[in-house]
């Protein structure tokens, strides 16, 4: 299992770099990321969360296949917004409702370097957007209104100190 970096770590605030080599090493990393995500009971995990500033994330939501996204780009978003409760393995124990586009079209490469386009909606669209934010140094709490963000992060820090 890989170590999961939590809020406060510099790597979570970096603009991650594109992946250029699609080799066995990358395949092994993808495997370890799925393993780490499952052990953490997460549904998505981005490379910066395991200390690697690379444009890569993995997702597996219930009832769906494992999905790998490398150098992903959201090319279209719906005007319609959805509210969902989000959490993050990098901010353990913090959950909050957040509005985001209800559907997205994302283009990415898989672990073999093959390009694909995915139309995601519902929970999958939510997780894709959350994970893609990680590649740009953004945490879901950044998107909350300042007052609720401050309150949640204060509670989190208090718990971490206890
Ligand atoms: Zn996260």
């Amino acid at each position: 299992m890989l170590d999961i970096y939590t809020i406060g770590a510099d790597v979570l605030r970096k603009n991650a770099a594109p992946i250029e080599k699609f080799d066995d090493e990358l395949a092994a990393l993808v495997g370890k990321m799925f393993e780490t995500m499952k052990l953490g009971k997460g549904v998505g995990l981005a490379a910066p969360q395991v200390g690697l500033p690379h444009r890569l994330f993995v997702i597996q939501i219930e009832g769906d296949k494992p999905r790998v996204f490398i150098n992903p780009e959201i090319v279209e978003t719906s005007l319609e917004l959805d509210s969902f409760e989000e959490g993050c393995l990098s901010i353990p124990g913090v959950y909050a409702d957040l509005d985001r586009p209800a559907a997205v079209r994302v283009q990415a490469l898989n672990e073999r370097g093959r390009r694909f386009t995915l139309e995601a909606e519902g929970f999958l669209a939510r997780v894709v957007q959350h994970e893609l934010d990680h590649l740009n140094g953004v945490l879901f709490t950044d998107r909350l209104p300042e007052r609720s963000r401050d309150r949640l992060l204060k509670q989190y820090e208090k718990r971490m100190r206890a």
Side-chain angles (χ1 to χ4, degrees):
M1 173 170 170
L2 303 165
D3 284 337
I4 294 180
Y5 288 61
T6 53
I7 187 168
D10 286 347
V11 69
L12 293 175
R13 294 308 192 176
K14 285 197 174 129
N15 193 16
I19 286 182
E20 281 158 16
K21 266 171 71 184
F22 296 82
D23 54 9
D24 291 350
E25 205 178 313
L26 178 66
L29 171 63
V30 166
K32 278 189 213 153
M33 284 176 65
F34 274 116
E35 190 188 335
T36 304
M37 181 186 82
K38 282 174 193 166
L39 285 167
K41 300 197 191 315
V43 291
L45 185 69
Q49 293 182 276
V50 292
L52 302 169
H54 305 325
R55 302 192 80 78
L56 155 67
F57 60 79
V58 300
I59 291 179
Q60 187 166 19
I61 62 176
E62 220 185 302
D64 192 20
K65 62 177 185 179
R67 296 177 183 274
V68 180
F69 299 79
I70 295 170
N71 305 343
E73 271 181 75
I74 289 177
V75 291
E76 212 178 318
T77 56
S78 63
L79 291 176
E80 190 198 342
L81 301 178
D82 250 355
S83 180
F84 257 108
E85 186 179 68
E86 286 190 35
C88 181
L89 291 174
S90 294
I91 324 172
V94 172
Y95 300 93
D97 287 331
L98 184 57
D99 283 343
R100 292 192 194 254
V104 294
R105 176 179 296 140
V106 57
Q107 281 180 354
L109 305 174
N110 68 14
E111 68 275 31
R112 292 181 301 278
R114 221 168 276 158
R115 182 168 294 282
F116 66 92
T117 301
L118 173 73
E119 317 261 350
E121 54 177 31
F123 191 50
L124 182 58
R126 169 61 45 144
V127 181
V128 164
Q129 292 173 82
H130 176 113
E131 298 309 328
L132 211 143
D133 269 355
H134 275 301
L135 308 187
N136 298 323
V138 175
L139 298 173
F140 83 94
T141 44
D142 299 348
R143 296 190 177 278
L144 297 171
E146 201 177 333
R147 275 181 60 192
S148 51
R149 176 174 65 234
D150 287 353
R151 182 173 47 80
L152 285 167
L153 292 181
K154 263 186 204 137
Q155 289 169 356
Y156 169 79
E157 279 160 25
K158 219 169 142 187
R159 270 204 314 278
M160 289 298 118
R161 278 198 304 267

